[in-house]
Amino acid sequence: MNITTLAFFLLSFIAVGSAIMMITSKSPVHSVLWLIVVFFSISGHYILLNAQFLAVVNIIVYAGAIMVLFLFVVMLMNLNAETEPIKNYRLQLIGVLAGGALLLVLISAIMRIDVEQVVQMKTGDAGLIKVLGMTLFKNYILPFEISSVLFLSAMIGAVIIGKKD
Amino acid sequence: MFLTIDLAFIIEKLILIVVVVSASLVIAMYATFAERKVAAILQDRRGPNRAGPFGLLQPLADGIKLFFKEEIIPNFSSKALFILGPALAMLTAVMTSAVIPWGDKVHFFGRDISLQIADINIGILYVFGVVSLGVYGIMIGSWASNNKFSLLGGLRAASQIISYELAMGISLIALLMITGSLSLKEMVLQQQAGHWNIIYQPLGFLIFLICAFAECNRTPFDLPEAENELIGGYHTEYSSMKLGFYLFSEYINMFISSVIMATLFFGGYDMPFVNEASFSPNMAALIGIAALMGKVVMFLFFFMWVRWTIPRFRYDQLMHLGWRILIPLALFNMLATGGVILYFHK
């Protein structure tokens, strides 16, 4: 067992463990914090796959921005384990159905994986920023530009909404 | 279990980490002292001068005082998160130092030791990521305090940091278009060979500087701890060394952002008008560290100068500046940089 395998098992353990903690913890704020731990361990997995850019962008976007907003909203709503109403039977049933459907999809995806194709640990260069940039700006320039215009318009939209005095 | 580890490499990096982190802590310690001295000079006072010669032992006395203060944890707070808050603030403050090139390499015991803990090819993005995590320490601590003033301070900090991160990111994109590299080491080498980036990116530097003030929660952007409206802001409920950690992490953040600004825009460890190659490697590294520290001290002084000169913004003014002035300016800067690069085919 080399150090990469060890890191893989450690990260997987943290990811799965904190995902379970996120679902089972009563307080929404704790759930958000556990989810942040999940994002960190997934970023660790990206680094093991030599996808440093993906790893750091995952942290900047998800852990650094989106989860801050989640935390912001949860803190403002002041949700507590004591005040949280117990969900009724029908909602619980719908939740189980939706979760089960997702599980089905995931299992069917995992079943189709080609086990012969080994994951490239530490060696692949698909995630390096140079390769990624070349692919984005050569093969996928149009979708890339369209999505960047979308982001820009979202940003300007935020400014305009803020301007409404 | 069999682990293949290059032992000398690990020891070398461990020593480097210990040196860098403790140096950052000591410099931040003396930054608190310098802050009080600068404030005293600007207000025509003497400042702390009792502990040791010229009051030089004052930070030590402050630290000991904080350690011996009574530790109060509010009854209705969530205890684990209450402790996690200041710990995270400190951790994220120190973590950035990992990718900063503190100097070129030194030659010891027949080994070339690079004065940078990790030269990763996404260095600047790593810095950006850690900075965006810095808000968690404040938010978690403020929520765990179970106090309305703390929570308001924490929410202010979060919205402020998110807003200014955007302009900071866009101003960095313009810089990256010029350097063409995300590695901080590579950027310093480019500036050593050519001109400092401040010449190409004056507007980008100005935006970055303002955003750095906002990210460090420094005056005029210290709304999260505005004492006349929020008591102590996010650290109202904190006492003893936990409070010390919060206050101290602000100085480490200041130090680190000074280093980042010096590295990105002012040539890092490059000493101007000196050819480093004409010295022995160890001497050149020493000169490089001295040059970097000189630049950092100037930035730190600027941080303090501004704090004791300019009053605090109102909250809507802060958001106005961030969203309606800095972001359009940063976008313009990016566009102009792109246009110039395209025109000159650089």
Side-chain angles (χ1 to χ4, degrees):
Chain A
M1 185 186 263
N2 59 17
I3 200 151
T4 317
T5 325
L6 195 69
F8 172 78
F9 279 112
L10 191 69
L11 284 169
S12 309
F13 183 74
I14 296 172
V16 175
S18 41
I20 291 172
M21 286 302 291
M22 181 213 127
I23 298 169
T24 52
S25 59
K26 293 276 181 204
S27 157
V29 171
H30 289 160
S31 286
V32 171
L33 294 177
W34 282 116
L35 190 56
I36 296 167
V37 180
V38 175
F39 283 134
F40 267 94
S41 44
I42 288 176
S43 274
H45 280 299
Y46 284 142
I47 290 175
L48 284 187
L49 295 171
N50 217 15
Q52 301 157 347
F53 180 71
L54 216 53
V56 81
V57 166
N58 185 42
I59 285 182
I60 292 175
V61 174
Y62 284 94
I66 294 181
M67 292 323 284
V68 172
L69 286 181
F70 270 42
L71 205 59
F72 202 103
V73 172
V74 169
M75 282 178 178
L76 268 182
M77 293 203 295
N78 201 17
L79 300 170
N80 285 320
E82 296 90 50
T83 57
E84 181 77 353
I86 295 156
K87 295 200 174 58
N88 62 30
Y89 178 70
R90 205 172 50 181
L91 270 180
Q92 282 180 345
L93 190 71
I94 292 170
V96 168
L97 277 180
L102 180 65
L103 188 69
L104 213 65
V105 172
L106 285 179
I107 287 175
S108 71
I110 291 170
M111 297 277 275
R112 291 166 64 103
I113 287 177
D114 185 8
V115 202
E116 296 297 311
Q117 204 176 28
V118 184
V119 177
Q120 289 181 313
M121 290 285 229
K122 292 202 298 182
T123 48
D125 57 355
L128 291 185
I129 189 159
K130 195 164 187 174
V131 182
L132 207 64
M134 284 296 174
T135 319
L136 274 182
F137 283 101
K138 279 193 171 143
N139 305 346
Y140 301 99
I141 182 76
L142 190 68
F144 182 78
E145 289 298 328
I146 290 175
S147 55
S148 59
V149 168
L150 187 70
F151 275 119
L152 191 65
S153 54
M155 212 160 70
I156 293 171
V159 177
I160 297 293
I161 290 172
K163 208 169 182 174
K164 198 176 63 183
D165 287 321
Chain B
M1 199 184 294
F2 176 65
L3 294 175
T4 45
I5 294 172
D6 182 1
L7 200 62
F9 176 77
I10 297 268
I11 291 172
E12 174 192 312
K13 289 294 176 194
L14 265 182
I15 292 173
L16 199 61
I17 289 170
V18 170
V19 169
V20 165
V21 169
S22 44
S24 322
L25 292 180
V26 169
I27 290 171
M29 229 167 95
Y30 274 91
T32 64
F33 174 68
E35 171 114 278
R36 297 172 69 175
K37 274 291 189 196
V38 169
I41 292 165
L42 288 177
Q43 297 170 345
D44 217 5
R45 296 185 280 118
R46 280 185 191 277
N49 62 356
R50 295 291 142 179
F54 309 108
L56 273 176
L57 295 177
Q58 187 65 39
L60 215 62
D62 286 342
I64 291 169
K65 188 200 88 169
L66 279 172
F67 265 118
F68 283 102
K69 283 278 182 181
E70 190 189 350
E71 175 94 65
I72 301 166
I73 296 183
N75 240 345
F76 291 99
S77 64
S78 99
K79 197 173 174 221
L81 292 185
F82 192 77
I83 296 169
L84 186 68
L88 268 183
M90 202 69 171
L91 180 74
T92 49
V94 178
M95 252 167 74
T96 327
S97 59
V99 292
I100 294 168
W102 300 93
D104 209 17
K105 44 185 174 290
V106 288
H107 197 75
F108 273 134
F109 309 116
R111 287 174 66 93
D112 273 339
I113 302 171
S114 166
L115 288 178
Q116 185 182 18
I117 295 171
D119 182 17
I120 49 180
N121 63 13
I122 46 160
I124 188 66
L125 283 178
Y126 170 86
V127 172
F128 202 63
V130 175
V131 166
S132 66
L133 296 176
V135 67
Y136 281 118
I138 294 177
M139 279 190 91
I140 290 172
S142 69
W143 183 79
S145 302
N146 198 20
N147 175 324
K148 296 230 168 19
F149 292 112
S150 300
L151 186 62
L152 274 177
L155 293 179
R156 277 184 175 190
S159 45
Q160 171 180 330
I161 289 179
I162 290 183
S163 307
Y164 278 79
E165 232 165 52
L166 208 54
M168 190 183 225
I170 301 172
S171 74
L172 271 182
I173 289 175
L175 179 73
L176 294 180
M177 279 152 78
I178 288 182
T179 59
S181 168
L182 290 166
S183 155
L184 289 170
K185 178 100 181 175
E186 183 61 37
M187 284 185 196
V188 173
L189 289 179
Q190 279 177 8
Q191 294 181 71
Q192 216 163 16
H195 299 292
W196 289 359
N197 284 332
I198 177 75
I199 298 173
Y200 304 117
Q201 282 291 323
L203 185 60
F205 169 67
L206 191 69
I207 296 166
F208 194 90
L209 182 73
I210 296 172
C211 293
F213 270 79
E215 301 277 320
C216 293
N217 290 330
R218 289 288 294 185
T219 327
F221 304 108
D222 62 342
L223 275 299
E225 40 191 316
E227 61 279 326
N228 42 11
E229 33 193 286
L230 287 180
I231 309 182
Y234 58 88
H235 54 60
T236 304
E237 296 285 356
Y238 280 90
S239 57
S240 183
M241 205 51 200
K242 293 205 188 65
L243 173 71
F245 263 35
Y246 268 131
L247 301 184
F248 201 54
S249 70
E250 178 182 319
Y251 286 90
I252 301 176
N253 276 329
M254 239 163 76
F255 169 63
I256 296 288
S257 42
S258 304
V259 178
I260 298 280
M261 280 189 283
T263 307
L264 290 182
F265 293 97
F266 286 85
Y269 56 78
D270 169 40
M271 180 80 101
F273 311 116
V274 172
N275 184 13
E276 277 89 348
S278 60
F279 295 99
S280 69
N282 285 359
M283 195 61 202
L286 208 63
I287 291 174
I289 294 173
L292 181 63
M293 286 305 145
K295 292 165 193 172
V296 166
V297 166
M298 278 185 224
F299 274 118
L300 282 177
F301 175 71
F302 186 68
F303 267 104
M304 290 161 193
W305 190 14
V306 169
R307 170 164 181 184
W308 297 103
T309 314
I310 298 177
R312 183 181 292 143
F313 279 120
R314 226 172 44 219
Y315 200 69
D316 60 320
Q317 291 171 332
L318 173 98
M319 285 295 154
H320 180 272
L321 178 70
W323 285 94
R324 286 197 239 157
I325 298 176
L326 285 184
I327 289 178
L329 257 184
L331 281 174
F332 165 76
N333 183 41
M334 188 175 81
L335 213 63
T337 310
V340 168
I341 290 175
L342 200 66
Y343 186 73
F344 290 109
H345 294 288
K346 198 187 146 194

